[in-house]
Amino acid sequence: MLRISATGHRPPRLGGYAPCEKHRAIRRHMKNLLLGYQQSHGDVTLNSGGANGIDQFWMEVGHYLKMPVVAILPFPSFSRLWPKSGQDHLQELLDKCVAVSYTHRDSEITSKGQAAQAMINRDKELVHACDL
């Protein structure tokens, strides 16, 4: 089994928050890439950090391809400042995951600095949890 983690740019660097051709092109590329890995390696599991942008595109493509998706999030309430629609979309993606884990508990996050460090720790965990 091949485990692949992905993280990347957020919507402002990807053409914005509204769906656009750039988003569709990124998802098509991800789909083709994953189908190639599946063909050459067999079972593929995807890891995602759950953030807006590339992280969620990765989850969406994985769910579309019916590949197992594991969410590795910094802390349970990390999306609390997002618009409700964004929080709801993340929850829909998480509900389809085979596993959801957190690198920190909400009670450990009492400052912006700790939240930022939790994001870094989430990224480190994504690296440690993958083969690629």
Side-chain angles (χ1 to χ4, degrees):
M1 174 184 48
L2 182 66
R3 299 169 305 153
I4 308 173
S5 291
T7 188
H9 290 302
R10 305 299 175 243
R13 290 192 171 197
L14 302 171
Y17 286 87
C20 64
E21 180 52 35
K22 188 180 256 187
H23 296 180
R24 288 184 287 279
I26 292 167
R27 286 185 185 95
R28 278 193 305 271
H29 178 72
M30 288 177 171
K31 177 184 166 198
N32 293 335
L33 180 78
L34 290 171
L35 289 172
Y37 279 123
Q38 186 178 49
Q39 190 172 35
S40 63
H41 290 86
D43 292 337
V44 176
T45 297
L46 309 183
N47 299 322
S48 173
N52 284 312
I54 294 298
D55 299 40
Q56 288 189 12
F57 292 177
W58 191 242
M59 296 171 83
E60 291 164 359
V61 171
H63 292 319
Y64 174 80
L65 294 174
K66 303 206 182 328
M67 292 180 171
V69 177
V70 174
I72 301 172
L73 307 178
F75 49 94
S77 67
F78 91 103
S79 65
R80 72 180 176 276
L81 299 178
W82 298 0
K84 174 119 172 64
S85 60
Q87 292 178 41
D88 291 346
H89 181 64
L90 175 62
Q91 190 58 55
E92 289 170 10
L93 293 171
L94 295 177
D95 289 345
K96 296 176 186 174
C97 288
V98 297
V100 177
S101 66
Y102 303 95
T103 59
H104 296 77
R105 295 183 306 271
D106 279 341
S107 62
E108 297 173 310
I109 309 301
T110 60
S111 70
K112 285 184 180 180
Q114 289 172 325
Q117 185 60 51
M119 304 285 185
I120 292 168
N121 292 344
R122 179 255 337 255
D123 293 345
K124 289 178 181 178
E125 182 60 29
L126 284 167
V127 171
H128 293 299
C130 72
D131 305 304
L132 180 66

